[in-house]
Amino acid sequence: MTVAIIWQHAIRAAAFIMVWALFGAPAGAAVPDTIQTQLQRGINLSFWFTYRGDPSIDPQRFRPDDADLRQLRAVGFRHARIAFDHAWLVDPVDARRVNPQKVDELGAALQKVASFGLLPVLTMNADNAFLQRLLTQPAVRDSTAAFWWSLSRALAARLPADKLVFEVLNEPATDDAAASLKVMQTLAGAVRDAAPRHTIVVAGHKYSSVDELVALVPFQDDNLVYTFHFYEPFNFTHQGATWGWPMWTRFHDFPYPSSPAAMAPLLPQLDEEARSHAAWYGQQAWNRDKLAAMLDRVAAWRDQHRVVVWCSEFGVLKTYAPPTSRQAWLRDTRELLDARQIGWAHFDFSQHMGLVDGVQGARQWDRGAVQALGLTAPR
């Protein structure tokens, strides 16, 4: 089906999309068992279709090749979450359309991932400026819905419902829960109309944490998965991060589990301001039980609403975290998710939180991290 024909269908579907956004979709088939099974263990493949054109992103380092995909399947992963930048894929002239050449490139990649036995989950990234317009300007919201309609229609023609899942937006990054909900409903409505049988993923506002998930009122569509991200405690998982809270750049070697005794040797190495935060991290006593209590809230919300939940991101920045602590946190989090029958996708394949270093053909796997995830570490 050509993009022009797809766009004609999108115009006719506009009224349906608006009704879905306001009142919810009719209840349909539940999330298929095959999808739920494949969502149990996955990996994020970031920087494949994001940051295109950024000279600091080496394709040989950050993008998977056939050997990588084959190895990911052999290790034990069953799905791959693949983000794309809206700005890269949208038609530069008409924001309601997709760029057909880039859709072809993306579609071919998704088909390749599926051919290696990995379920692709496609999610849209957007920069802060676009997110603000998307959340506050109805015209932008509607044009983005038309964009998603065209995209999902084109990709659904390539990959059937058991071979592709659509996640409409990664981390809305807003405190306005109502605005985020409106966007999620509108975009999901567009996808549902274009791809009636495909599973759709939605999330809460802000950065899709546990708090945002349990504040979400489920939609009237049974073939939806509700996702959340899990990085608690951030002062451990994001120590050394050069984004987000500036204080993180001054944290290093924080252990997990945390306690005043475990942090005591580290405190003299930190400046006064960082020292106070480090001492507090020790006093908080982060451990397996504390993580379990947070994930119990997710399981209770899921059971209350009888929906499917999925942790689409969790991981630890590896540059400054002690390797044994990183492995302990990954093991605890993964085992707690498994015990609650919550599927997960580790963040990430490569880069700061990745399981591999090196370039295509010369990957160096973090065996300890892979084993902490309950998977078979490659030789």
Side-chain angles (χ1 to χ4, degrees):
M1 181 178 292
T2 68
V3 172
I5 294 174
I6 288 172
W7 178 238
Q8 292 172 10
H9 283 285
I11 294 173
R12 290 196 293 270
F16 178 85
I17 292 168
M18 293 305 298
V19 170
W20 201 98
L22 290 171
F23 303 109
V31 178
D33 290 342
T34 54
I35 297 294
Q36 295 189 50
T37 298
Q38 289 181 282
L39 286 180
Q40 289 306 304
R41 295 188 173 190
I43 187 76
N44 279 265
L45 298 178
S46 301
F47 296 101
W48 193 358
F49 291 97
T50 59
Y51 297 96
R52 287 297 183 97
D54 186 333
S56 68
I57 304 299
D58 178 5
Q60 295 293 312
R61 182 172 297 276
F62 294 109
R63 299 179 193 172
D65 62 8
D66 287 6
D68 292 326
L69 296 173
R70 186 178 297 108
Q71 186 69 76
L72 287 170
R73 184 65 172 80
V75 162
F77 291 112
R78 294 297 179 266
H79 72 271
R81 183 173 182 254
I82 301 167
F84 69 89
D85 282 334
H86 172 266
W88 174 76
L89 194 55
V90 71
D91 187 290
V93 177
D94 187 347
R96 299 167 296 179
R97 300 173 183 264
V98 292
N99 183 312
Q101 289 76 31
K102 291 177 178 177
V103 169
D104 284 343
E105 181 183 352
L106 177 60
L110 297 176
Q111 287 176 307
K112 177 180 289 188
V113 169
S115 75
F116 283 96
L118 297 166
L119 173 71
V121 182
L122 183 67
T123 182
M124 183 176 77
N125 275 359
D127 61 37
N128 289 333
F130 177 75
L131 275 176
Q132 183 63 22
R133 297 195 303 274
L134 179 62
L135 291 160
T136 60
Q137 299 178 21
V140 174
R141 185 175 64 238
D142 293 343
S143 67
T144 308
F147 161 87
W148 252 119
W149 195 98
S150 298
L151 175 62
S152 53
R153 185 78 168 192
L155 294 177
R158 287 175 174 261
L159 288 159
D162 62 341
K163 300 295 184 184
L164 177 62
V165 170
F166 296 110
E167 181 182 353
V168 295
L169 181 63
N170 176 61
E171 294 188 351
T174 178
D175 290 325
D176 190 338
S180 175
L181 178 63
K182 181 70 172 179
V183 167
M184 289 286 175
Q185 288 179 322
T186 304
L187 301 186
V191 175
R192 174 58 67 232
D193 186 61
R197 297 182 57 202
H198 282 68
T199 300
I200 301 171
V201 178
V202 295
H205 64 295
K206 218 167 181 177
Y207 295 100
S208 304
S209 71
V210 170
D211 286 343
E212 283 72 62
L213 174 70
V214 300
L216 190 62
V217 177
F219 299 2
Q220 295 179 30
D221 185 326
D222 290 338
N223 195 7
L224 257 64
V225 170
Y226 297 84
T227 191
F228 68 101
H229 296 172
F230 195 76
Y231 292 106
E232 299 290 351
F234 277 79
N235 285 348
F236 171 72
T237 64
H238 282 60
Q239 57 185 299
T242 56
W243 65 93
W245 189 33
M247 183 62 66
W248 288 332
T249 63
R250 293 147 72 178
F251 295 168
H252 59 84
D253 297 310
F254 281 23
Y256 170 86
S258 75
S259 67
M263 291 299 293
L266 185 61
L267 299 183
Q269 305 174 32
L270 303 173
D271 63 71
E272 183 176 355
E273 187 178 12
R275 192 180 307 133
S276 65
H277 292 289
W280 173 238
Y281 170 69
Q283 294 165 17
Q284 287 179 296
W286 281 98
N287 56 30
R288 184 185 180 98
D289 290 342
K290 199 161 187 173
L291 300 182
M294 299 188 71
L295 293 173
D296 281 342
R297 298 174 62 206
V298 174
W301 182 86
R302 173 200 62 197
D303 294 344
Q304 175 189 354
H305 297 291
R306 299 182 181 180
V307 296
V308 177
V309 295
W310 168 53
C311 179
S312 54
E313 289 187 19
F314 76 108
V316 179
L317 185 64
K318 62 187 178 184
T319 310
Y320 296 105
T324 54
S325 291
R326 178 178 182 239
Q327 292 166 21
W329 186 91
L330 288 174
R331 182 175 293 106
D332 279 355
T333 302
R334 186 267 304 173
E335 289 179 351
L336 292 169
L337 290 167
D338 286 348
R340 287 153 182 78
Q341 297 182 311
I342 299 172
W344 50 261
H346 177 265
F347 195 90
D348 201 356
F349 169 62
S350 186
Q351 62 114 13
H352 313 297
M353 295 182 174
L355 295 179
V356 302
D357 289 313
V359 298
Q360 294 176 1
R363 301 294 194 193
Q364 299 171 3
W365 284 78
D366 186 332
R367 294 178 57 84
V370 173
Q371 289 171 342
L373 294 174
L375 303 172
T376 303
R379 296 181 180 178

